Amino acid sequence: MAKVELKINGKQHSFDVEDRTLLVNLIRDHAQLTGTHVGCDTSQCGACTIHMNGMAVKSCTVLAGQANGADITTIEGMAKDGKLHPVQQAFTECHALQCGFCTPGMIMAVSGFLKDNPKPTDDEIYHGLEGNLCRCTGYINIVKAVKQAAKAMSK
Amino acid sequence: MDQHEHHSRLFKVGGAQVSRFEDMRLITGNGKYSSDWNAPGQLHACFLRSDRAHARIVSINFDKVGQIKGVVGVYTGADAQAAGYLRPPSFLPPTGKGGMKARVPERPCLAIGKVRFVGDPVAMVIAETHLAALDACDLIDVVYEDLPAVVDPEEALKPGAPQLHDDVPGNCPVEAESGVEAPVMEAIAKAAHVTKITVDCTRVTASPMEPRAALIEYTADTDSYVVHTPSQGVNMTRKQFATYANLGEDKFRVEIQDVGGGFGQRSTVYPEYVSMMMAAKALQRPIKWVSTRTESFLTDTHGRANLITATLALDKNAQFTGLRIDWITDQGAYLSPTGPAGHIRNATSCMNGVYNIPALYGHFKVVLTNTGWVAAYRGAGRPDIAYAIERVVDAAALELNMDPADLRRRNYLALSDYPYKSATGSTIEIADLPGLSAKALALADWSGFEARKAASARKGKLRGIGMSAVIEPTGAGSYPRDEIDISVDGEGQVTVHTVAHSQGQGHETSFAMVVAEALGIATERVKIRQGDADRAPHMVGNHTGGSRSMVGAGTVCHIAANKLIDAGKSLAAEDLGVEPSQVSYGKGEFTSAHSKKKITLAQLAAKKTLAAKGEGTFISTFPNGCHIAEVEIDPETGITEIASYLSVDDCGHVVSHTIVEGQMHGAVVQGLGQVFGEHIVYDKESGQMLTGTFMDYIMPRAGKLKSIQMEEYTTLSKLGPLGIKGMGGSGCTASLPALVNAVVNALGVRHLDMPLTPSKVWKTIQQTNVKH
């Protein structure tokens, strides 16, 4: 068993978990934050994307123990004081979600990506979305949302 | 008009632009999908699955599982036998060709005696934690005696092929026919030209992003079950559970909220779920299971898997005189509830496509192979038949050295031909392909293609253009009617109940728009409740599938709202001091010109029960469209880029353009996925699946289709009061043939089966270069 102490959405937590526990399972099962999803077993789909120490990472690819001492933000921590994050806002305004299952991972990936590249070209957006699968939208409105969010965040 | 203009038109309710009502919870992490349900004291299930395609089970030894702390129980086929959980429902018609009786094999919830595909569940372990159950599965020893396996449907039909089920001789559950054979054979015999083509509408998998999951609770007092699992409609789920478990539907309460994509894959109650019922009852504790993605690839129902031969007869004027369809539908190792029935029915319904073809004949062979089972998938036979027709038409144009657009134009049914009674017995209500396709061809500058091709050639690229003109049936349901319950509370909030369940289609918004429009109130005042567990058992209605929910439940929202107004007029008459006939309604208020009084919906509902039930029964509507794709292929790499994609669609009256466009985007790209990468592949020798992860199964990614120029060309359906035609699948039906036609055109070949991967395209270029 491993003791993992970490901050999630600004709140300090301490969990005792099996050594092999993945960060995504700690978040979902132990911290009971079910907005972060699991969509595959091979780090392809990106539904589990969160921010770890400010970086977008796939939480299915991190052991819970590796996150000891980390500062984690999940989708539940994106809206601040009742105000949506610009990426959240853009996703709903652009109809960039249908079933919504990939959406938390998309929003976390896109907000991380825009931090690194605030004014992406279309090709850079496609590349930035390579690690996130969506089955419903055909991505057209997701790309539109990324552009809208980038514009809103540059203001 | 570009898409941005389209979007600005939509979601304008009362002047304010609003997002979908479901969005707020979904973008903030507050959605509740099946794996998000937990119950106090829950145990975890894990399934040991067959690692081989076809084998006799000699023995199962689970003595060692006790080594794992927390293991509570192991269940096998013997338990399935004892419980009698042997036969999922099948919607296959009981008789086929020549009165042939359909042979529907058993599918025990855990394998009994034999395994028939890689992934067939053999044992279920129940433990205190998921990890303990997973570990215990590794300690179960199964001794198998391998049997020869067959994964190819044509091989499975041959004499001497390995037999999957003793009671399904020849691996053929049924052969079915549509139309009449003799006139078609006569047309072919007399034809000036005959084009015959065989197309593989490949096996793919729905891959909704939410893997399957279930939480099943047993209630001893009532000997009943509470189920949380992805569903396209709770009543359909209850019905299937009841059939599989030989219990009454009243023994199942299905509680769900959000569903992470469906596409037909959620239309099945799976063996894992009924297996879990055994443990929930025996152990009197809730049982939870969450599928891995590899389990999804192996065991979710697959889609398509149809090998179709189309033979088209043409006279000397290139008029179509007859079409024969020979269809082998691979259903995998067992029959799913919706699989073969949907493929046969939907293909039969529009076997003439959008053309005037006086003679039609379809022959369907349902086949079992040592592979995963197959069910409805975004269109369920509709894209398959459209793909076969639109490929054979393009092949005929190539053989006759005709412009494919011209060949189509000569054969379209005209607006005045509708309603059209087809040679397979359907009545196709209305479409105007001459007008619709003319709009598409003009917008796509079809006639200017040669110049663009030359420009591409100067860059060293091969450019191709392809079109599709398609139609499909949507709206007829499997329940006798669709019901909607509507009520108003003292605050003036309107609550609407439906049993159609969204898997992303956005009913909470689009149904609310219908009700708000009928009542003349703000959409925000309308709350749509889908599949309420208490109310649903008392309601009749179809699940959301086959692109039908706006035709059915959506239209009934309008009917129910109007019934509510009528009911309100009677109730308001007393308050207004007039006869009900003297009460008017508008914008949330009942008024009387006689007494000069008024009462609002809220005021009336505060005093009296204000509620109504709407209902309606619907036959199929026929959405149709013309899609035109241009592709550019790099001959050095075989990589295909979509240079442009244009769609003109007739979905009848559109409630929400935003949602319809979103559905169209998704459907076109699902078709694109099948065209360029997606393919479930089994090794022919071992029967092992070679595409069991997202690393091997190539899903479409962002940027493959950058934009769609999307237009409407509307003819209204008169089958319902709103003029709606179903949509949701139609984009997929149109994009398969449009994209394949474009690639085939670029390569100058007659046909190439999907998936059109860079390596296949590159090899084709090398081969044709050698020939030239």
Side-chain angles (χ1 to χ4, degrees):
Chain A
M1 298 292 278
K3 189 177 185 68
V4 180
E5 294 184 336
L6 75 182
K7 203 187 260 184
I8 306 179
N9 301 331
K11 198 174 151 201
Q12 194 65 38
H13 292 270
S14 177
F15 300 107
D16 290 307
V17 299
E18 275 197 53
D19 293 355
R20 56 181 165 165
T21 304
L22 300 171
L23 178 57
V24 67
N25 296 119
L26 179 143
I27 291 168
R28 286 183 53 81
D29 303 337
H30 297 267
Q32 292 175 353
L33 292 166
T34 55
T36 302
H37 297 151
V38 180
C40 74
D41 328 320
T42 53
S43 302
Q44 302 291 298
C45 81
C48 65
T49 307
I50 52 118
H51 293 176
M52 183 166 150
N53 301 325
M55 293 257 294
V57 300
K58 293 181 176 178
S59 60
C60 75
T61 314
V62 179
L63 286 165
Q66 290 175 288
N68 191 36
D71 188 351
I72 304 288
T73 304
T74 69
I75 187 68
E76 289 91 342
M78 289 299 274
K80 296 269 191 291
D81 306 320
K83 195 173 179 308
L84 293 174
H85 186 279
V87 177
Q88 290 174 308
Q89 190 73 41
F91 265 64
T92 179
E93 286 178 1
C94 297
H95 188 35
L97 66 148
Q98 290 181 24
C99 83
F101 192 82
C102 76
T103 309
M106 283 282 179
I107 289 170
M108 300 312 287
V110 168
S111 56
F113 163 68
L114 288 178
K115 225 186 277 180
D116 297 339
N117 185 354
K119 287 183 182 167
T121 64
D122 285 7
D123 281 339
E124 286 166 349
I125 293 172
Y126 304 145
H127 187 67
L129 292 171
E130 181 74 23
N132 289 75
L133 294 178
C134 169
R135 190 52 150 172
C136 298
T137 65
Y139 304 98
I140 292 170
N141 286 346
I142 290 177
V143 172
K144 204 162 108 188
V146 176
K147 290 180 189 175
Q148 182 171 314
K151 212 169 155 190
M153 289 164 77
S154 71
K155 275 177 190 164
Chain B
M1 190 188 302
D2 84 358
Q3 280 187 338
H4 301 281
E5 289 172 47
H6 267 296
H7 275 283
S8 63
R9 279 194 278 119
L10 211 263
F11 279 46
K12 283 200 171 163
V13 181
Q17 178 136 1
V18 295
S19 300
R20 293 194 316 174
F21 294 129
E22 39 277 87
D23 284 359
M24 189 52 82
R25 67 173 184 273
L26 301 179
I27 58 172
T28 53
N30 291 302
K32 191 169 188 179
Y33 299 88
S34 289
S35 63
D36 299 337
W37 291 81
N38 291 290
Q42 73 190 13
L43 294 165
H44 298 262
C46 194
F47 290 88
L48 176 69
R49 300 181 179 281
S50 172
D51 59 0
R52 58 207 67 207
H54 199 194
R56 226 173 283 291
I57 301 170
V58 177
S59 63
I60 304 175
N61 183 325
F62 47 85
D63 291 348
K64 283 188 263 175
V65 300
Q67 295 171 13
I68 306 292
K69 193 170 156 249
V71 173
V72 180
V74 179
Y75 295 79
T76 67
D79 300 289
Q81 185 82 62
Y85 296 171
L86 304 175
R87 209 173 260 283
S90 170
F91 304 144
L92 191 63
T95 51
K97 183 183 176 183
M100 177 185 182
K101 203 170 157 3
R103 302 172 288 215
V104 179
E106 286 188 345
R107 176 162 195 192
C109 63
L110 294 168
I112 298 173
K114 244 175 108 167
V115 290
R116 295 181 177 85
F117 73 102
V118 175
D120 216 350
V122 175
M124 173 178 69
V125 176
I126 304 293
E128 295 287 346
T129 66
H130 165 65
L131 290 173
L134 196 62
D135 290 344
C137 277
D138 282 347
L139 298 181
I140 299 175
D141 286 324
V142 184
V143 177
Y144 292 105
E145 180 193 323
D146 282 317
L147 296 168
V150 60
V151 300
D152 180 298
E154 287 184 295
E155 293 296 322
L157 286 169
K158 286 181 181 166
Q163 299 291 295
L164 273 79
H165 299 269
D166 293 341
D167 53 354
V168 186
N171 298 318
C172 181
V174 77
E175 284 182 49
E177 288 180 305
S178 9
V180 188
E181 188 173 17
V184 175
M185 297 320 287
E186 195 187 325
I188 291 169
K190 289 184 179 165
H193 185 82
V194 175
T195 298
K196 185 173 182 177
I197 193 168
T198 297
V199 297
D200 185 1
C201 199
T202 43
R203 180 184 283 249
V204 293
T205 188
S207 300
M209 291 318 300
E210 180 197 12
R212 285 197 287 131
L215 174 67
I216 301 199
E217 305 172 63
Y218 176 70
T219 310
D221 295 351
T222 51
D223 188 31
S224 63
Y225 299 84
V226 180
V227 174
H228 315 274
T229 195
S231 165
Q232 298 184 194
V234 300
N235 282 359
M236 174 61 90
T237 298
R238 291 170 60 240
K239 185 181 184 175
Q240 289 200 30
F241 263 104
T243 306
Y244 210 150
N246 310 303
L247 292 169
E249 285 183 40
D250 61 334
K251 296 295 182 190
F252 296 92
R253 177 186 169 88
V254 180
E255 277 182 41
I256 59 174
Q257 184 182 304
D258 296 306
V259 180
F263 319 114
Q265 188 262 94
R266 316 298 199 187
S267 63
T268 294
V269 165
Y270 288 81
E272 289 88 356
Y273 309 161
V274 285
S275 298
M276 292 161 70
M277 286 170 57
M278 300 192 295
K281 182 171 183 173
L283 302 168
Q284 305 264 322
R285 285 172 70 180
I287 310 290
K288 181 168 178 172
W289 171 68
V290 181
S291 168
T292 64
R293 181 56 66 178
T294 289
E295 284 180 296
S296 297
F297 277 109
L298 292 172
T299 68
D300 287 3
T301 53
H302 293 158
R304 315 271 187 257
N306 296 306
L307 192 63
I308 309 167
T309 300
T311 311
L312 180 67
L314 302 93
D315 69 13
K316 62 181 189 324
N317 299 317
Q319 299 282 314
F320 304 157
T321 55
L323 175 67
R324 181 186 172 110
I325 296 287
D326 290 278
W327 185 304
I328 295 173
T329 181
D330 180 3
Q331 291 293 310
Y334 306 94
L335 292 182
S336 74
T338 62
H343 285 187
I344 296 168
R345 184 192 59 231
N346 293 327
T348 295
S349 182
C350 285
M351 197 172 278
N352 62 305
V354 292
Y355 307 110
N356 185 7
I357 311 181
L360 296 172
Y361 175 67
H363 181 256
F364 299 85
K365 267 190 186 168
V366 179
V367 189
L368 299 177
T369 58
N370 293 108
T371 60
W373 60 354
V374 174
Y377 168 59
R378 203 153 196 169
R382 299 170 182 89
D384 313 72
I385 186 68
Y387 179 59
I389 294 170
E390 291 301 284
R391 283 298 304 124
V392 78
V393 168
D394 256 36
L398 185 72
E399 288 167 0
L400 296 169
N401 197 23
M402 283 179 71
D403 176 359
D406 183 37
L407 179 58
R408 284 178 173 83
R409 200 156 37 224
R410 287 173 191 232
N411 287 281
Y412 286 139
L413 289 161
L415 182 60
S416 57
D417 292 327
Y418 291 99
Y420 176 76
K421 180 102 173 150
S422 86
T424 47
S426 25
T427 302
I428 304 173
E429 188 200 5
I430 188 167
D432 178 13
L433 263 299
L436 186 150
S437 70
K439 179 173 178 176
L441 292 166
L443 286 167
D445 186 24
W446 179 269
S447 56
F449 171 70
E450 286 306 324
R452 295 191 293 279
K453 184 176 178 168
S456 294
R458 286 195 289 278
K459 295 188 292 176
K461 301 282 176 70
L462 302 170
R463 196 177 185 101
I465 191 166
M467 70 179 288
S468 65
V470 302
I471 192 163
E472 63 182 33
T474 154
S478 54
Y479 283 83
R481 61 187 178 278
D482 287 300
E483 292 180 352
I484 293 288
D485 287 349
I486 184 168
S487 59
V488 187
D489 69 16
E491 306 294 316
Q493 275 302 121
V494 179
T495 301
V496 177
H497 285 274
T498 175
V499 296
H501 210 103
S502 168
Q503 313 115 51
Q505 293 89 345
H507 298 167
E508 288 170 61
T509 303
S510 57
F511 288 9
M513 290 169 77
V514 172
V515 170
E517 188 170 297
L519 295 179
I521 60 173
T523 313
E524 287 76 7
R525 283 175 61 186
V526 184
K527 170 87 181 157
I528 305 294
R529 297 280 307 273
Q530 306 174 76
D532 179 81
D534 291 318
R535 190 177 286 255
H538 309 291
M539 292 180 72
V540 178
N542 289 284
H543 68 297
T544 291
S547 308
R548 73 172 309 282
S549 283
M550 191 50 85
V551 176
T555 298
V556 180
C557 282
H558 172 84
I559 293 168
N562 281 297
K563 280 186 78 172
L564 185 85
I565 293 169
D566 289 343
K569 283 180 179 172
S570 298
L571 297 171
E574 201 180 316
D575 291 84
L576 302 179
V578 295
E579 291 298 311
S581 61
Q582 295 171 316
V583 179
S584 304
Y585 175 85
K587 296 186 176 174
E589 288 180 349
F590 296 94
T591 53
S592 169
H594 294 262
S595 64
K596 306 257 188 295
K597 288 181 180 173
K598 68 176 185 181
I599 185 167
T600 66
L601 277 172
Q603 288 164 343
L604 186 61
K607 290 186 183 179
K608 297 167 181 172
T609 302
L610 182 52
K613 183 188 276 288
E615 61 177 65
T617 300
F618 302 91
I619 58 173
S620 283
T621 63
F622 294 88
N624 57 87
C626 177
H627 289 204
I628 298 176
E630 282 191 36
V631 298
E632 219 178 39
I633 297 169
D634 183 343
E636 300 292 322
T637 61
I639 291 173
T640 303
E641 288 197 12
I642 318 296
S644 68
Y645 196 99
L646 172 126
S647 67
V648 180
D649 282 282
D650 173 8
C651 311
H653 175 68
V654 171
V655 174
S656 163
H657 290 272
T658 297
I659 287 177
V660 163
E661 286 167 15
Q663 289 292 310
M664 197 57 77
H665 289 169
V668 166
V669 172
Q670 270 189 345
L672 176 149
Q674 183 175 5
V675 170
F676 291 108
E678 294 182 46
H679 193 197
I680 291 286
V681 182
Y682 286 92
D683 181 73
K684 292 216 171 181
E685 293 299 315
S686 66
Q688 293 291 332
M689 187 188 282
L690 303 178
T691 50
T693 74
F694 282 137
M695 291 188 287
D696 313 295
Y697 186 88
I698 309 305
M699 294 272 279
R701 299 292 212 277
K704 183 74 188 178
L705 183 61
K706 295 175 176 68
S707 66
I708 301 177
Q709 187 186 350
M710 203 174 290
E711 295 288 336
E712 292 169 6
Y713 183 98
T714 303
T715 64
L716 295 178
S717 170
K718 294 186 181 68
L719 299 173
L722 298 181
I724 289 165
K725 300 180 183 181
M727 67 82 56
S730 58
C732 197
T733 300
S735 71
L736 284 185
L739 288 165
V740 174
N741 285 346
V743 174
V744 164
N745 175 260
L747 296 175
V749 296
R750 184 171 183 269
H751 179 64
L752 205 53
D753 272 325
M754 302 180 286
L756 304 175
T757 57
S759 73
K760 188 185 282 183
V761 169
W762 185 83
K763 278 180 198 159
T764 305
I765 292 167
Q766 305 311 308
Q767 284 159 4
T768 47
N769 278 350
V770 170
K771 265 188 224 161
H772 293 169

